[in-house]
Amino acid sequence: MIAFVNGIIDDIAEDNVVIDVGGIGYNVKISADTASRLPGLGEPVKLYTYTSVREDAFLLYGFLTRGDLEIFKKLITVNGIGPKGGLSILSVMDADDLRFAIMSGDSKAISKAPGIGAKTAQRVILDLKDKIRIDDTMISREIDSYSENLMAADSAQKQEAVAALASLGYGQTESLKAVNSIEGIEKMDSGAILKAALKKLF
C-alpha cells in the first residue's frame, strides 16, 4: 500500500490534513499531537502512512516519524483498539510517553484518551509490554535513571513524592517525569520534591 505521502500542506484540521501531491489532494487522518507539530499551510511535509481498507472506505493514517507509525501499528493489534482508538491515544500522549506508560504499567495515563476505558488501557499494557523495546524510546534514559535512583540514598524520598502525586490523581508516568526533571533533587526531602514536582505539573 502507500508507504508515505510527500507534498504540500493544503489544509489542516485537528484530526485530518490534506496533502497536495502533484495536484492531487490526499486526506490523511492524524492525531492531535501530529497536528500540533505540522508546519504551516503551503509548507512541504512527509507523512509515513498506514492504509486502512474497509468495504465503505479507503483511509490513510499519517505520522511524522517511522517510530510514531510503528507504535500505532502495535496499538491497533490490541483487541478493542482500531485505527480511531490508536489515534485517540496518540492524541493525548506522544509515542515516547506511550512507550513509557506501557513499560511502567501506567494504565491511568492511557485511559485519559477519549473512548479508552480502564480495562482497554490495561489490555494495551498487557498485550504490548513484551513488544516494546526499552531502547526504542528517548525516555529510556529516564527509566534507567529512575531504576538507579531506587538503589540510591534518596530513593525513599523520591518514592514518597511519586506516591503522594499519585494520591493527588496524577499518573505514574507524569509523576516520574516531573520528579526526574527536578534539579538538585539529591539535596531535597520528600516534601520539597513534592512541591517542586507540583510546580512542574501545574
Side-chain angles (χ1 to χ4, degrees):
M1 292 295 181
I2 301 173
F4 62 83
V5 176
N6 194 351
I8 304 298
I9 297 177
D10 184 73
D11 187 40
I12 303 175
E14 184 177 353
D15 62 350
N16 191 83
V17 61
V18 178
I19 309 294
D20 182 340
V21 182
I24 299 175
Y26 287 86
N27 276 306
V28 184
K29 298 290 184 184
I30 55 174
S31 69
D33 177 67
T34 297
S36 70
R37 293 187 285 137
L38 287 174
L41 295 177
E43 296 293 327
V45 70
K46 180 178 182 179
L47 293 178
Y48 298 93
T49 55
Y50 171 82
T51 307
S52 172
V53 180
R54 304 190 321 230
E55 290 184 4
D56 59 342
F58 182 96
L59 301 172
L60 289 176
Y61 295 83
F63 306 88
L64 287 168
T65 69
R66 286 192 177 93
D68 290 350
L69 172 59
E70 290 306 311
I71 194 69
F72 172 79
K73 288 164 71 174
K74 285 184 172 71
L75 269 177
I76 61 177
T77 66
V78 177
N79 186 33
I81 296 186
K84 184 177 180 181
L87 279 192
S88 179
I89 292 173
L90 291 172
S91 288
V92 298
M93 57 174 51
D94 63 25
D96 277 341
D97 284 341
L98 175 57
R99 292 187 185 98
F100 188 37
I102 292 169
M103 293 298 297
S104 62
D106 190 357
S107 61
K108 184 180 291 186
I110 298 172
S111 64
K112 288 181 179 179
I116 304 298
K119 289 184 178 179
T120 302
Q122 290 167 3
R123 193 180 302 125
V124 169
I125 292 169
L126 287 173
D127 287 3
L128 299 185
K129 195 161 189 176
D130 293 336
K131 298 178 182 178
I132 299 296
R133 293 173 50 207
I134 194 66
D135 55 357
D136 282 342
T137 174
M138 293 171 62
I139 212 163
S140 61
R141 284 175 293 181
E142 292 186 29
I143 298 175
D144 291 341
S145 175
Y146 180 69
S147 298
E148 290 170 4
N149 285 333
L150 288 177
M151 297 181 290
D154 67 341
S155 64
Q157 288 90 333
K158 292 182 71 172
Q159 285 181 291
E160 287 175 12
V162 170
L165 289 169
S167 70
L168 293 173
Y170 293 101
Q172 185 181 22
T173 302
E174 57 187 341
S175 298
L176 284 173
K177 289 184 69 177
V179 168
N180 284 337
S181 65
I182 298 170
E183 295 181 6
I185 194 170
E186 63 279 353
K187 300 177 182 178
M188 302 165 68
D189 60 24
S190 58
I193 294 171
L194 177 60
K195 289 179 182 178
L198 284 170
K199 287 182 180 179
K200 291 183 177 293
L201 290 167
F202 284 151

